[in-house]
Amino acid sequence: QVQLVESGGGLVQRGGSLRLSCAASGSIVTPNTMGWYRQAPGKLRELVAFITNGGSTNYADSVKGRFTISRDNAKNTVYLQMNSLKPEDTAVYYCAIVTWRTDWGQGTQVTVSS
């Protein structure tokens, strides 16, 4: 069993920044991929970004150049630095760790006002 705890969400104005953190604990299998997803009201959950143990990253087109994902393998923690936020970034952001299964965090709300 893996536990994921997200933090760092909140309310920010358009153009502002937030940094999300997600700490994993429990029976963590390596190698693994950690990532961030988001779900806006009435929409499907979508991938925002992911990062492998080795540091390879991938981003959704909608966040490229604005968001940066990083991880600290020693702390089993993944981060998402979000800059130049837009109202359409408003969503619940979920952390996930992917091995032979996917474990999810509880989600953290990000609201960007216009």
Side-chain angles (χ1 to χ4, degrees):
Q1 188 89 15
V2 177
Q3 295 79 43
L4 297 165
V5 179
E6 299 115 332
S7 60
L11 173 65
V12 65
Q13 291 187 332
R14 176 196 293 267
S17 297
L18 284 174
R19 188 189 193 216
L20 305 183
S21 299
C22 172
S25 61
S27 302
I28 299 169
V29 175
T30 56
N32 58 62
T33 296
M34 297 187 78
W36 291 94
Y37 291 73
R38 67 186 181 186
Q39 188 167 17
K43 295 188 176 182
L44 297 175
R45 189 172 298 189
E46 63 175 2
L47 174 68
V48 176
F50 68 77
I51 183 168
T52 67
N53 271 110
S56 297
T57 59
N58 193 40
Y59 296 90
D61 288 343
S62 59
V63 307
K64 282 180 181 177
R66 300 188 298 123
F67 291 11
T68 302
I69 190 169
S70 60
R71 65 187 288 170
D72 184 332
N73 289 331
K75 296 181 179 179
N76 292 315
T77 299
V78 64
Y79 307 95
L80 186 68
Q81 177 66 43
M82 305 186 293
N83 299 327
S84 302
L85 283 160
K86 305 175 181 179
E88 50 265 43
D89 294 318
T90 295
V92 177
Y93 283 69
Y94 297 90
C95 172
I97 184 167
V98 181
T99 56
W100 57 275
R101 54 179 281 172
T102 300
D103 290 285
W104 296 92
Q106 80 286 357
T108 184
Q109 177 69 46
V110 171
T111 302
V112 184
S113 66
S114 56

PDB file of all heavy atoms in Angstrom, residues 32-65:
ATOM      1  N   ASN A  32       9.715   3.755 -10.744  1.00  0.00           N
ATOM      2  CA  ASN A  32       8.340   4.191 -10.832  1.00  0.00           C
ATOM      3  C   ASN A  32       8.275   5.537 -11.555  1.00  0.00           C
ATOM      4  O   ASN A  32       9.292   6.184 -11.773  1.00  0.00           O
ATOM      5  CB  ASN A  32       7.711   4.315  -9.442  1.00  0.00           C
ATOM      6  CG  ASN A  32       8.450   5.271  -8.536  1.00  0.00           C
ATOM      7  OD1 ASN A  32       8.540   6.471  -8.829  1.00  0.00           O
ATOM      8  ND2 ASN A  32       8.971   4.780  -7.431  1.00  0.00           N
ATOM      9  N   THR A  33       7.095   5.901 -11.924  1.00  0.00           N
ATOM     10  CA  THR A  33       6.831   7.203 -12.525  1.00  0.00           C
ATOM     11  C   THR A  33       5.859   7.932 -11.613  1.00  0.00           C
ATOM     12  O   THR A  33       4.884   7.341 -11.147  1.00  0.00           O
ATOM     13  CB  THR A  33       6.225   7.049 -13.921  1.00  0.00           C
ATOM     14  OG1 THR A  33       7.189   6.411 -14.779  1.00  0.00           O
ATOM     15  CG2 THR A  33       5.850   8.400 -14.515  1.00  0.00           C
ATOM     16  N   MET A  34       6.150   9.185 -11.353  1.00  0.00           N
ATOM     17  CA  MET A  34       5.241  10.007 -10.555  1.00  0.00           C
ATOM     18  C   MET A  34       4.693  11.119 -11.436  1.00  0.00           C
ATOM     19  O   MET A  34       5.402  11.647 -12.303  1.00  0.00           O
ATOM     20  CB  MET A  34       5.963  10.595  -9.338  1.00  0.00           C
ATOM     21  CG  MET A  34       6.457   9.520  -8.371  1.00  0.00           C
ATOM     22  SD  MET A  34       7.137  10.197  -6.845  1.00  0.00           S
ATOM     23  CE  MET A  34       5.612  10.593  -5.957  1.00  0.00           C
ATOM     24  N   GLY A  35       3.458  11.441 -11.205  1.00  0.00           N
ATOM     25  CA  GLY A  35       2.859  12.443 -12.068  1.00  0.00           C
ATOM     26  C   GLY A  35       1.758  13.226 -11.397  1.00  0.00           C
ATOM     27  O   GLY A  35       1.345  12.928 -10.268  1.00  0.00           O
ATOM     28  N   TRP A  36       1.326  14.233 -12.111  1.00  0.00           N
ATOM     29  CA  TRP A  36       0.210  15.074 -11.686  1.00  0.00           C
ATOM     30  C   TRP A  36      -0.886  15.021 -12.732  1.00  0.00           C
ATOM     31  O   TRP A  36      -0.620  15.123 -13.938  1.00  0.00           O
ATOM     32  CB  TRP A  36       0.665  16.523 -11.491  1.00  0.00           C
ATOM     33  CG  TRP A  36       1.565  16.716 -10.322  1.00  0.00           C
ATOM     34  CD1 TRP A  36       2.925  16.720 -10.308  1.00  0.00           C
ATOM     35  CD2 TRP A  36       1.161  16.929  -8.971  1.00  0.00           C
ATOM     36  NE1 TRP A  36       3.400  16.916  -9.043  1.00  0.00           N
ATOM     37  CE2 TRP A  36       2.330  17.058  -8.196  1.00  0.00           C
ATOM     38  CE3 TRP A  36      -0.069  17.039  -8.328  1.00  0.00           C
ATOM     39  CZ2 TRP A  36       2.300  17.287  -6.814  1.00  0.00           C
ATOM     40  CZ3 TRP A  36      -0.107  17.258  -6.968  1.00  0.00           C
ATOM     41  CH2 TRP A  36       1.070  17.382  -6.218  1.00  0.00           C
ATOM     42  N   TYR A  37      -2.104  14.865 -12.266  1.00  0.00           N
ATOM     43  CA  TYR A  37      -3.297  14.908 -13.097  1.00  0.00           C
ATOM     44  C   TYR A  37      -4.189  16.011 -12.539  1.00  0.00           C
ATOM     45  O   TYR A  37      -4.021  16.450 -11.410  1.00  0.00           O
ATOM     46  CB  TYR A  37      -4.037  13.574 -13.054  1.00  0.00           C
ATOM     47  CG  TYR A  37      -3.318  12.435 -13.731  1.00  0.00           C
ATOM     48  CD1 TYR A  37      -2.191  11.849 -13.152  1.00  0.00           C
ATOM     49  CD2 TYR A  37      -3.755  11.934 -14.957  1.00  0.00           C
ATOM     50  CE1 TYR A  37      -1.526  10.804 -13.780  1.00  0.00           C
ATOM     51  CE2 TYR A  37      -3.095  10.883 -15.591  1.00  0.00           C
ATOM     52  CZ  TYR A  37      -1.989  10.321 -14.982  1.00  0.00           C
ATOM     53  OH  TYR A  37      -1.333   9.286 -15.606  1.00  0.00           O
ATOM     54  N   ARG A  38      -5.153  16.416 -13.328  1.00  0.00           N
ATOM     55  CA  ARG A  38      -6.132  17.372 -12.824  1.00  0.00           C
ATOM     56  C   ARG A  38      -7.508  17.061 -13.384  1.00  0.00           C
ATOM     57  O   ARG A  38      -7.633  16.467 -14.455  1.00  0.00           O
ATOM     58  CB  ARG A  38      -5.718  18.811 -13.167  1.00  0.00           C
ATOM     59  CG  ARG A  38      -5.736  19.143 -14.647  1.00  0.00           C
ATOM     60  CD  ARG A  38      -5.164  20.538 -14.874  1.00  0.00           C
ATOM     61  NE  ARG A  38      -5.182  20.918 -16.289  1.00  0.00           N
ATOM     62  CZ  ARG A  38      -4.634  22.024 -16.775  1.00  0.00           C
ATOM     63  NH1 ARG A  38      -4.007  22.871 -15.960  1.00  0.00           N
ATOM     64  NH2 ARG A  38      -4.705  22.286 -18.065  1.00  0.00           N
ATOM     65  N   GLN A  39      -8.510  17.487 -12.633  1.00  0.00           N
ATOM     66  CA  GLN A  39      -9.895  17.286 -13.053  1.00  0.00           C
ATOM     67  C   GLN A  39     -10.693  18.534 -12.731  1.00  0.00           C
ATOM     68  O   GLN A  39     -10.827  18.904 -11.562  1.00  0.00           O
ATOM     69  CB  GLN A  39     -10.503  16.055 -12.383  1.00  0.00           C
ATOM     70  CG  GLN A  39     -11.870  15.695 -12.921  1.00  0.00           C
ATOM     71  CD  GLN A  39     -12.313  14.309 -12.491  1.00  0.00           C
ATOM     72  OE1 GLN A  39     -11.776  13.725 -11.552  1.00  0.00           O
ATOM     73  NE2 GLN A  39     -13.295  13.768 -13.187  1.00  0.00           N
ATOM     74  N   ALA A  40     -11.187  19.158 -13.776  1.00  0.00           N
ATOM     75  CA  ALA A  40     -12.045  20.331 -13.616  1.00  0.00           C
ATOM     76  C   ALA A  40     -13.496  19.872 -13.552  1.00  0.00           C
ATOM     77  O   ALA A  40     -13.832  18.785 -14.040  1.00  0.00           O
ATOM     78  CB  ALA A  40     -11.833  21.286 -14.783  1.00  0.00           C
ATOM     79  N   PRO A  41     -14.381  20.686 -12.982  1.00  0.00           N
ATOM     80  CA  PRO A  41     -15.797  20.303 -12.879  1.00  0.00           C
ATOM     81  C   PRO A  41     -16.386  19.960 -14.239  1.00  0.00           C
ATOM     82  O   PRO A  41     -16.225  20.717 -15.205  1.00  0.00           O
ATOM     83  CB  PRO A  41     -16.445  21.548 -12.287  1.00  0.00           C
ATOM     84  CG  PRO A  41     -15.354  22.209 -11.533  1.00  0.00           C
ATOM     85  CD  PRO A  41     -14.112  21.962 -12.319  1.00  0.00           C
ATOM     86  N   GLY A  42     -17.027  18.797 -14.326  1.00  0.00           N
ATOM     87  CA  GLY A  42     -17.671  18.400 -15.562  1.00  0.00           C
ATOM     88  C   GLY A  42     -16.744  17.858 -16.619  1.00  0.00           C
ATOM     89  O   GLY A  42     -17.182  17.579 -17.747  1.00  0.00           O
ATOM     90  N   LYS A  43     -15.471  17.728 -16.303  1.00  0.00           N
ATOM     91  CA  LYS A  43     -14.492  17.244 -17.281  1.00  0.00           C
ATOM     92  C   LYS A  43     -13.816  15.969 -16.786  1.00  0.00           C
ATOM     93  O   LYS A  43     -13.831  15.657 -15.599  1.00  0.00           O
ATOM     94  CB  LYS A  43     -13.445  18.324 -17.563  1.00  0.00           C
ATOM     95  CG  LYS A  43     -14.009  19.561 -18.242  1.00  0.00           C
ATOM     96  CD  LYS A  43     -12.907  20.498 -18.671  1.00  0.00           C
ATOM     97  CE  LYS A  43     -13.451  21.694 -19.426  1.00  0.00           C
ATOM     98  NZ  LYS A  43     -12.361  22.602 -19.884  1.00  0.00           N
ATOM     99  N   LEU A  44     -13.206  15.265 -17.725  1.00  0.00           N
ATOM    100  CA  LEU A  44     -12.466  14.057 -17.380  1.00  0.00           C
ATOM    101  C   LEU A  44     -11.124  14.424 -16.744  1.00  0.00           C
ATOM    102  O   LEU A  44     -10.575  15.505 -16.988  1.00  0.00           O
ATOM    103  CB  LEU A  44     -12.223  13.214 -18.633  1.00  0.00           C
ATOM    104  CG  LEU A  44     -13.469  12.657 -19.347  1.00  0.00           C
ATOM    105  CD1 LEU A  44     -13.063  11.959 -20.629  1.00  0.00           C
ATOM    106  CD2 LEU A  44     -14.224  11.708 -18.434  1.00  0.00           C
ATOM    107  N   ARG A  45     -10.604  13.504 -15.947  1.00  0.00           N
ATOM    108  CA  ARG A  45      -9.274  13.699 -15.377  1.00  0.00           C
ATOM    109  C   ARG A  45      -8.251  13.634 -16.516  1.00  0.00           C
ATOM    110  O   ARG A  45      -8.330  12.755 -17.380  1.00  0.00           O
ATOM    111  CB  ARG A  45      -8.979  12.623 -14.330  1.00  0.00           C
ATOM    112  CG  ARG A  45      -7.725  12.875 -13.530  1.00  0.00           C
ATOM    113  CD  ARG A  45      -7.588  11.879 -12.385  1.00  0.00           C
ATOM    114  NE  ARG A  45      -8.690  12.000 -11.441  1.00  0.00           N
ATOM    115  CZ  ARG A  45      -8.715  11.355 -10.267  1.00  0.00           C
ATOM    116  NH1 ARG A  45      -7.704  10.566  -9.921  1.00  0.00           N
ATOM    117  NH2 ARG A  45      -9.752  11.501  -9.464  1.00  0.00           N
ATOM    118  N   GLU A  46      -7.303  14.557 -16.504  1.00  0.00           N
ATOM    119  CA  GLU A  46      -6.304  14.610 -17.567  1.00  0.00           C
ATOM    120  C   GLU A  46      -4.896  14.675 -16.991  1.00  0.00           C
ATOM    121  O   GLU A  46      -4.677  15.202 -15.895  1.00  0.00           O
ATOM    122  CB  GLU A  46      -6.542  15.839 -18.473  1.00  0.00           C
ATOM    123  CG  GLU A  46      -6.405  17.172 -17.774  1.00  0.00           C
ATOM    124  CD  GLU A  46      -6.533  18.362 -18.720  1.00  0.00           C
ATOM    125  OE1 GLU A  46      -6.765  18.161 -19.926  1.00  0.00           O
ATOM    126  OE2 GLU A  46      -6.391  19.502 -18.243  1.00  0.00           O
ATOM    127  N   LEU A  47      -3.965  14.139 -17.767  1.00  0.00           N
ATOM    128  CA  LEU A  47      -2.569  14.181 -17.360  1.00  0.00           C
ATOM    129  C   LEU A  47      -2.030  15.603 -17.506  1.00  0.00           C
ATOM    130  O   LEU A  47      -2.245  16.248 -18.530  1.00  0.00           O
ATOM    131  CB  LEU A  47      -1.743  13.230 -18.213  1.00  0.00           C
ATOM    132  CG  LEU A  47      -0.234  13.260 -17.992  1.00  0.00           C
ATOM    133  CD1 LEU A  47       0.114  12.714 -16.620  1.00  0.00           C
ATOM    134  CD2 LEU A  47       0.475  12.487 -19.084  1.00  0.00           C
ATOM    135  N   VAL A  48      -1.316  16.061 -16.498  1.00  0.00           N
ATOM    136  CA  VAL A  48      -0.646  17.364 -16.550  1.00  0.00           C
ATOM    137  C   VAL A  48       0.828  17.169 -16.874  1.00  0.00           C
ATOM    138  O   VAL A  48       1.356  17.777 -17.800  1.00  0.00           O
ATOM    139  CB  VAL A  48      -0.802  18.111 -15.218  1.00  0.00           C
ATOM    140  CG1 VAL A  48      -0.015  19.424 -15.253  1.00  0.00           C
ATOM    141  CG2 VAL A  48      -2.269  18.370 -14.902  1.00  0.00           C
ATOM    142  N   ALA A  49       1.485  16.313 -16.104  1.00  0.00           N
ATOM    143  CA  ALA A  49       2.916  16.061 -16.324  1.00  0.00           C
ATOM    144  C   ALA A  49       3.313  14.811 -15.566  1.00  0.00           C
ATOM    145  O   ALA A  49       2.676  14.445 -14.580  1.00  0.00           O
ATOM    146  CB  ALA A  49       3.758  17.248 -15.835  1.00  0.00           C
ATOM    147  N   PHE A  50       4.384  14.151 -16.047  1.00  0.00           N
ATOM    148  CA  PHE A  50       4.933  13.039 -15.288  1.00  0.00           C
ATOM    149  C   PHE A  50       6.452  13.063 -15.371  1.00  0.00           C
ATOM    150  O   PHE A  50       7.038  13.698 -16.247  1.00  0.00           O
ATOM    151  CB  PHE A  50       4.368  11.690 -15.734  1.00  0.00           C
ATOM    152  CG  PHE A  50       4.774  11.225 -17.112  1.00  0.00           C
ATOM    153  CD1 PHE A  50       6.037  10.684 -17.343  1.00  0.00           C
ATOM    154  CD2 PHE A  50       3.881  11.290 -18.161  1.00  0.00           C
ATOM    155  CE1 PHE A  50       6.401  10.239 -18.608  1.00  0.00           C
ATOM    156  CE2 PHE A  50       4.236  10.834 -19.430  1.00  0.00           C
ATOM    157  CZ  PHE A  50       5.497  10.317 -19.650  1.00  0.00           C
ATOM    158  N   ILE A  51       7.070  12.354 -14.423  1.00  0.00           N
ATOM    159  CA  ILE A  51       8.529  12.292 -14.360  1.00  0.00           C
ATOM    160  C   ILE A  51       8.934  10.908 -13.897  1.00  0.00           C
ATOM    161  O   ILE A  51       8.345  10.351 -12.968  1.00  0.00           O
ATOM    162  CB  ILE A  51       9.084  13.402 -13.422  1.00  0.00           C
ATOM    163  CG1 ILE A  51      10.613  13.388 -13.419  1.00  0.00           C
ATOM    164  CG2 ILE A  51       8.527  13.285 -12.008  1.00  0.00           C
ATOM    165  CD1 ILE A  51      11.214  14.641 -12.760  1.00  0.00           C
ATOM    166  N   THR A  52       9.914  10.324 -14.553  1.00  0.00           N
ATOM    167  CA  THR A  52      10.406   9.004 -14.197  1.00  0.00           C
ATOM    168  C   THR A  52      11.471   9.099 -13.107  1.00  0.00           C
ATOM    169  O   THR A  52      11.930  10.182 -12.764  1.00  0.00           O
ATOM    170  CB  THR A  52      11.005   8.298 -15.410  1.00  0.00           C
ATOM    171  OG1 THR A  52      12.200   9.012 -15.810  1.00  0.00           O
ATOM    172  CG2 THR A  52      10.022   8.285 -16.576  1.00  0.00           C
ATOM    173  N   ASN A  53      11.860   7.940 -12.596  1.00  0.00           N
ATOM    174  CA  ASN A  53      12.955   7.895 -11.616  1.00  0.00           C
ATOM    175  C   ASN A  53      14.218   8.567 -12.165  1.00  0.00           C
ATOM    176  O   ASN A  53      14.962   9.210 -11.439  1.00  0.00           O
ATOM    177  CB  ASN A  53      13.288   6.451 -11.268  1.00  0.00           C
ATOM    178  CG  ASN A  53      12.479   5.938 -10.115  1.00  0.00           C
ATOM    179  OD1 ASN A  53      11.611   5.101 -10.281  1.00  0.00           O
ATOM    180  ND2 ASN A  53      12.740   6.465  -8.931  1.00  0.00           N
ATOM    181  N   GLY A  54      14.444   8.384 -13.447  1.00  0.00           N
ATOM    182  CA  GLY A  54      15.648   8.918 -14.060  1.00  0.00           C
ATOM    183  C   GLY A  54      15.562  10.378 -14.431  1.00  0.00           C
ATOM    184  O   GLY A  54      16.549  10.959 -14.899  1.00  0.00           O
ATOM    185  N   GLY A  55      14.394  10.973 -14.249  1.00  0.00           N
ATOM    186  CA  GLY A  55      14.241  12.404 -14.508  1.00  0.00           C
ATOM    187  C   GLY A  55      13.652  12.759 -15.855  1.00  0.00           C
ATOM    188  O   GLY A  55      13.533  13.946 -16.184  1.00  0.00           O
ATOM    189  N   SER A  56      13.267  11.779 -16.651  1.00  0.00           N
ATOM    190  CA  SER A  56      12.604  12.093 -17.913  1.00  0.00           C
ATOM    191  C   SER A  56      11.216  12.648 -17.639  1.00  0.00           C
ATOM    192  O   SER A  56      10.505  12.134 -16.769  1.00  0.00           O
ATOM    193  CB  SER A  56      12.498  10.840 -18.784  1.00  0.00           C
ATOM    194  OG  SER A  56      13.777  10.370 -19.127  1.00  0.00           O
ATOM    195  N   THR A  57      10.848  13.677 -18.385  1.00  0.00           N
ATOM    196  CA  THR A  57       9.579  14.350 -18.124  1.00  0.00           C
ATOM    197  C   THR A  57       8.716  14.418 -19.385  1.00  0.00           C
ATOM    198  O   THR A  57       9.212  14.310 -20.514  1.00  0.00           O
ATOM    199  CB  THR A  57       9.804  15.786 -17.617  1.00  0.00           C
ATOM    200  OG1 THR A  57      10.545  16.516 -18.612  1.00  0.00           O
ATOM    201  CG2 THR A  57      10.577  15.798 -16.309  1.00  0.00           C
ATOM    202  N   ASN A  58       7.430  14.617 -19.148  1.00  0.00           N
ATOM    203  CA  ASN A  58       6.492  14.819 -20.242  1.00  0.00           C
ATOM    204  C   ASN A  58       5.390  15.737 -19.741  1.00  0.00           C
ATOM    205  O   ASN A  58       4.988  15.638 -18.565  1.00  0.00           O
ATOM    206  CB  ASN A  58       5.899  13.488 -20.710  1.00  0.00           C
ATOM    207  CG  ASN A  58       5.189  13.625 -22.029  1.00  0.00           C
ATOM    208  OD1 ASN A  58       5.650  14.315 -22.927  1.00  0.00           O
ATOM    209  ND2 ASN A  58       4.046  12.986 -22.161  1.00  0.00           N
ATOM    210  N   TYR A  59       4.932  16.631 -20.611  1.00  0.00           N
ATOM    211  CA  TYR A  59       3.937  17.617 -20.212  1.00  0.00           C
ATOM    212  C   TYR A  59       2.767  17.641 -21.192  1.00  0.00           C
ATOM    213  O   TYR A  59       2.933  17.415 -22.396  1.00  0.00           O
ATOM    214  CB  TYR A  59       4.544  19.025 -20.194  1.00  0.00           C
ATOM    215  CG  TYR A  59       5.625  19.223 -19.186  1.00  0.00           C
ATOM    216  CD1 TYR A  59       6.954  18.976 -19.490  1.00  0.00           C
ATOM    217  CD2 TYR A  59       5.328  19.670 -17.902  1.00  0.00           C
ATOM    218  CE1 TYR A  59       7.969  19.164 -18.559  1.00  0.00           C
ATOM    219  CE2 TYR A  59       6.323  19.883 -16.959  1.00  0.00           C
ATOM    220  CZ  TYR A  59       7.639  19.618 -17.293  1.00  0.00           C
ATOM    221  OH  TYR A  59       8.622  19.812 -16.356  1.00  0.00           O
ATOM    222  N   ALA A  60       1.609  17.971 -20.681  1.00  0.00           N
ATOM    223  CA  ALA A  60       0.478  18.260 -21.551  1.00  0.00           C
ATOM    224  C   ALA A  60       0.788  19.548 -22.321  1.00  0.00           C
ATOM    225  O   ALA A  60       1.437  20.460 -21.796  1.00  0.00           O
ATOM    226  CB  ALA A  60      -0.786  18.438 -20.721  1.00  0.00           C
ATOM    227  N   ASP A  61       0.322  19.613 -23.557  1.00  0.00           N
ATOM    228  CA  ASP A  61       0.585  20.794 -24.381  1.00  0.00           C
ATOM    229  C   ASP A  61       0.093  22.074 -23.701  1.00  0.00           C
ATOM    230  O   ASP A  61       0.706  23.135 -23.839  1.00  0.00           O
ATOM    231  CB  ASP A  61      -0.084  20.644 -25.742  1.00  0.00           C
ATOM    232  CG  ASP A  61       0.624  19.620 -26.628  1.00  0.00           C
ATOM    233  OD1 ASP A  61       1.788  19.275 -26.328  1.00  0.00           O
ATOM    234  OD2 ASP A  61      -0.002  19.168 -27.607  1.00  0.00           O
ATOM    235  N   SER A  62      -0.992  21.974 -22.970  1.00  0.00           N
ATOM    236  CA  SER A  62      -1.607  23.151 -22.366  1.00  0.00           C
ATOM    237  C   SER A  62      -0.763  23.777 -21.259  1.00  0.00           C
ATOM    238  O   SER A  62      -0.998  24.925 -20.885  1.00  0.00           O
ATOM    239  CB  SER A  62      -2.992  22.801 -21.816  1.00  0.00           C
ATOM    240  OG  SER A  62      -2.893  21.777 -20.843  1.00  0.00           O
ATOM    241  N   VAL A  63       0.215  23.041 -20.745  1.00  0.00           N
ATOM    242  CA  VAL A  63       1.021  23.569 -19.630  1.00  0.00           C
ATOM    243  C   VAL A  63       2.495  23.718 -19.986  1.00  0.00           C
ATOM    244  O   VAL A  63       3.270  24.227 -19.170  1.00  0.00           O
ATOM    245  CB  VAL A  63       0.873  22.698 -18.359  1.00  0.00           C
ATOM    246  CG1 VAL A  63      -0.593  22.525 -18.005  1.00  0.00           C
ATOM    247  CG2 VAL A  63       1.563  21.350 -18.518  1.00  0.00           C
ATOM    248  N   LYS A  64       2.880  23.293 -21.165  1.00  0.00           N
ATOM    249  CA  LYS A  64       4.290  23.388 -21.558  1.00  0.00           C
ATOM    250  C   LYS A  64       4.769  24.833 -21.498  1.00  0.00           C
ATOM    251  O   LYS A  64       4.087  25.744 -21.954  1.00  0.00           O
ATOM    252  CB  LYS A  64       4.485  22.840 -22.975  1.00  0.00           C
ATOM    253  CG  LYS A  64       4.499  21.329 -23.056  1.00  0.00           C
ATOM    254  CD  LYS A  64       4.703  20.855 -24.488  1.00  0.00           C
ATOM    255  CE  LYS A  64       4.682  19.342 -24.575  1.00  0.00           C
ATOM    256  NZ  LYS A  64       4.799  18.858 -25.975  1.00  0.00           N
ATOM    257  N   GLY A  65       5.941  25.016 -20.923  1.00  0.00           N
ATOM    258  CA  GLY A  65       6.507  26.353 -20.793  1.00  0.00           C
ATOM    259  C   GLY A  65       6.031  27.110 -19.569  1.00  0.00           C
ATOM    260  O   GLY A  65       6.585  28.157 -19.235  1.00  0.00           O
TER     261      GLY A  65
END
